[in-house]
Amino acid sequence: MTRGRGAWLALALAVCGVRPATAQGYLLRVDSRMQAASYRGVTLDSVPVTDTITGPSGGPTTSDGYAVTCFPGSAYCNFFRPGPEIAATPATVGADLTVWGLGVPGLSIHAKGRAGTTFGDPWPGTDPALQLVEGYAQYAAPRFTVQAGRLAISSRLGFIGFDGGQATIRAVDRHLEIRGYGGWGLWRGSVLPVTSAELNPLGEFRPPERTVVGGGGVAWTSPRFDAAVLYHREVDPSVSYFASEQAALTAVVRIASGLSLTGGADYDLALGAWGNADATLAYTAPNGRLNTTATVRRYKPIFDLWTIWGAFSPVPYTAVGGSLSVTPIRPLVVRVTGESYTFAATETSTPLVDVENSGWRFSWDATYTPVASFAVDAGYHADFGPGASSRGFDGGVTYMAGERLSISAHGSTLDRPLELRFDDASVQTYGLSARYLPAPRIRLELDASQYVEDRQRPDAASFDWDQLRVSARVVFTLASKPELRGLPPAVRAMPVGPGGTP
Amino acid sequence: MTALWILLLVAQAPQSPQFDHSKHQRVFPRCATCHQEPATGEGALYPDPAACARCHNGTVRPQVAWKPPAGPHPTNVRFVHAMIPMMIPPDPTAPQNCTVCHGQESGQWMAVQRVNMQMCLACHGVSTEHTAAPDSMCTFCHVTLPEAKDLTRADIAGFPTPASHRDPAWTTKSGHARAATTGGAPVAASCATCHARDFCLTCHVDAPDRKPIQALAPDPRSTAIMVRLKAPASHRTTTFLSTHGATARHAPASCTSCHTQESCVTCHVGTSQVAAAIPRRQPGSGMGAVVVRRPPASHGPDFALGHGDVAAAKPATCAGCHVRADCLNCHRPDAGSGPHYHPVDFLARHPAAAYGRETSCSDCHNTAGFCAQCHKTAGLVSSGPMHSNFHDANRSFSAGHGQAARQSLETCIACHAERDCMTCHSAQGGRHFNPHGPGFDAERLKKKNPQMCTACHGTAIPQ
């Protein structure tokens, strides 16, 4: 941790002391965040069977009231005590740098990195202390772009990170974009390879070498229709077997002005099964005061083949839902969303256990802005389904003193019953947040929220737990040509034309 | 596209002579009694107020406080009364000579008016309306606006609006742009009569490159004629955001009258090729259109949850306004972040969202590095024998967890490792429970990665 803290401080000092480089152009965005938070879990404990007593409900408990589980043949019974309060203050400094004008037109360098550490108890995501999210050189020409370095690709198949190269060819006349890439992979959802110890807290089976990734796609666009076909594969080089192999199709049809149909599906070539699929019909009224969608989707998780999870046959669910955003009167915007989903048959026989196989979620919220400097938000959400549920209200009041300062007071309630464990938690939060722009390219954010949590159980493991969470954020941008990030202040100060100038 | 909607809001300033000529028609038989200049080209145009006091002395008639206007009458007309002898037959003392220009149609003596420009045109053989006169006639009678130094902003604002300027096509290339270059001169005289360069800068961001504009002399007073830049009708369609790129790419000149590169980069951050064809703001350029970055109509309230298809189908569309860092803000969560993508109390409510998979958690979070690591710290992982029965809402859950596991396997592995399941589900030990369910394709899996099979089956993979 000491080494990590030192690295974090080193990067912070380097960022503070940054000076314009000799390159013709650069843009550096630094995002520093710190959060003081705590959480409290459970601690597994045991007690000799002979020390248990019969509790009020007739079941065995410890002498101090914890419900225990005693298995036949075992001399001990297990139970969970409330865990220790874990207080941590994770802090990160992220830097996003772009440098161009390197003597070759079209050549640029892009890098996004992060240094993080935790003051106090451990906090997930802060190891290793230095993480390179992206770092690549790019050569862009009108017809093609090539990149080399650490890359992250966003597609229907998720965020795919790798160390390697990518080439994109644009056949503008044919409205085609063709992309291919390859390299050594990073594990899904992280910037670390699968061999990283930080990604194996439970000591599971992992490939001994980094996977080799490859893939590509073809996208075709037109004024009315866009479509793309994607392919991605990862191979475990230690055994030359697939870690994953997927393909996807995605499309957007602009049926009429304001009306579009968006959809896609992915197929797991490794497992020979369809994965996620969705179709959304969206309509936006010309005046922008009505926005509505209707969606049908299917969700099924994807697991790498070096795990055994795919062999456990996870089943998909199919959901039907929709959303509506309407502005009945000019200062009021109301949004409503809802979705109902049902899991496919699991083909299991569990006579002793009956669990939910469907769920629904619903939310509404409204924003009322009587004057430009004042906004009131209120909303309700409910999510009931297998495993866990939640419902609650939230709301806030925001005062905006011009574009530079906004102050909000917010609060929420939450009831969170679990299906598989006696733990009906309720949480109330209330707090203040502020956002301040002392200069055009500096943004400060601060939030302080009090959490009042009550974990209800029919035994001694029930407890109250309150905490104050504080987070702070500083974002600033340095650039050789700052005007490229927006209009000059004098222009921005000009009033917007009636009807909104384009 | 040079389509500009320019509205010239002009109102004719009322002319209200302080001296009521008609009331004095019986007193003054000759104009020259009071106005000497028209007759001789010398002397004062207006009488001495003392001459009024001869009658308006408080005894004969009430006193008056009339004073002659100070200085010359502000005008942009070349005419001076000394030209009259060259225009009208001699006999400057004849009263009817003044009424030729200043008399009203009634013909009543001393019913006067300011000169009717139409009379000037008629004498000079021009049959059109004043503001529609040929370009060559403008300089015959008028000086340019910068030369008319005595005109105030109010005077200029009161200029009559030519009928041609009210034509919707006036703002297009075939309108005022063509008119400005008519006649072979760097800029049409008709423009220079009422306008100066500063007026053009109200809209034209390409002013330094427009020869007609540069041919006009600068004059800040010219902005007294108010124009308001309005978006062309094409810009108001719901498809404009998605189609304007093609216009900008194929005909950038159509954008550059109102827009500079700054307009592009207000929203665009990744299409430098197109933006590079648009000139940047430069000294002497006008303000042009003010661009406000607005989300497209497609970015509705739940767009963040379902934007993946759009992003994949047309990646260049996203890259027009978003940089990669925008994606990484959510898709690579920051450990130090407070409320951002998720609501403020999401840590407390995340079990429901994780079980129900409202979104794919693993698109942003690595299940091992993020979920399991945190759950391990909180004591929520299975680190020992499987009979601790954390799921105590049903005492038989361990024996009947199959349905829950197949429905929410991603949630299970946030706490459980593979060895937990293999305690019972391995073919080599435990209870030999078969975990394979619907859709399991053993042959395909064995072909793609038999190593997964060996985890449970060892080398004895069933054929």
Side-chain angles (χ1 to χ4, degrees), chain B residues 344-404:
Chain B
V344 63
D345 58 346
F346 188 74
L347 181 64
R349 75 160 92 159
H350 85 278
Y355 267 106
R357 298 290 164 186
E358 182 178 6
T359 58
S360 179
C361 308
S362 58
D363 276 355
C364 303
H365 303 285
N366 183 274
T367 50
F370 193 83
C371 307
Q373 196 177 80
C374 189
H375 284 189
K376 182 181 180 183
T377 307
L380 297 173
V381 300
S382 174
S383 56
M386 282 298 293
H387 47 75
S388 56
N389 202 23
F390 176 82
H391 303 295
D392 58 5
N394 188 313
R395 289 186 171 272
S396 303
F397 184 75
S398 293
H401 64 276
Q403 181 187 350

Side-chain angles (χ1 to χ4, degrees), chain A residues 71 152 156 257 269 278 483, chain B residues 238 280 309 324 344 387 444:
Chain A
F71 288 89
R156 184 183 173 84
S257 179
L269 294 164
D278 60 80
E483 72 276 16
Chain B
T238 54
R280 298 185 60 183
D309 286 323
R324 196 180 296 265
V344 63
H387 47 75
R444 178 187 284 263

Side-chain angles (χ1 to χ4, degrees), chain B residues 136-172:
Chain B
S136 57
M137 284 304 297
C138 298
T139 54
F140 189 83
C141 296
H142 294 283
V143 297
T144 63
L145 181 62
E147 291 172 322
K149 298 186 183 303
D150 294 330
L151 288 179
T152 64
R153 290 183 64 87
D155 295 330
I156 296 168
F159 283 175
T161 305
S164 62
H165 291 32
R166 301 186 192 282
D167 186 341
W170 179 249
T171 57
T172 66

Side-chain angles (χ1 to χ4, degrees), chain B residues 97-166:
Chain B
N97 282 352
C98 296
T99 60
V100 169
C101 297
H102 293 288
Q104 293 186 356
E105 287 185 6
S106 65
Q108 192 176 12
W109 174 241
M110 284 192 69
V112 298
Q113 64 179 6
R114 288 206 176 276
V115 67
N116 184 345
M117 292 297 179
Q118 214 61 47
M119 296 175 62
C120 305
L121 297 171
C123 286
H124 287 286
V126 178
S127 58
T128 65
E129 285 188 15
H130 170 215
T131 56
D135 200 67
S136 57
M137 284 304 297
C138 298
T139 54
F140 189 83
C141 296
H142 294 283
V143 297
T144 63
L145 181 62
E147 291 172 322
K149 298 186 183 303
D150 294 330
L151 288 179
T152 64
R153 290 183 64 87
D155 295 330
I156 296 168
F159 283 175
T161 305
S164 62
H165 291 32
R166 301 186 192 282

Side-chain angles (χ1 to χ4, degrees), chain A residues 284-297:
Chain A
T284 301
N287 59 10
R289 297 176 71 165
L290 172 68
N291 189 312
T292 182
T293 64
T295 301
V296 178
R297 70 185 183 100

Side-chain angles (χ1 to χ4, degrees), chain A residues 253-318:
Chain A
V253 184
R254 286 174 282 278
I255 302 166
S257 179
L259 183 65
S260 66
L261 177 64
T262 305
D266 49 70
Y267 187 76
D268 191 335
L269 294 164
L271 290 171
W274 288 98
N276 298 322
D278 60 80
T280 299
L281 184 66
Y283 173 72
T284 301
N287 59 10
R289 297 176 71 165
L290 172 68
N291 189 312
T292 182
T293 64
T295 301
V296 178
R297 70 185 183 100
R298 178 184 195 264
Y299 178 79
K300 185 182 181 186
I302 297 290
F303 297 101
D304 291 309
L305 291 190
W306 45 260
T307 72
I308 64 171
W309 303 123
F312 281 71
S313 303
V315 296
Y317 72 66
T318 302

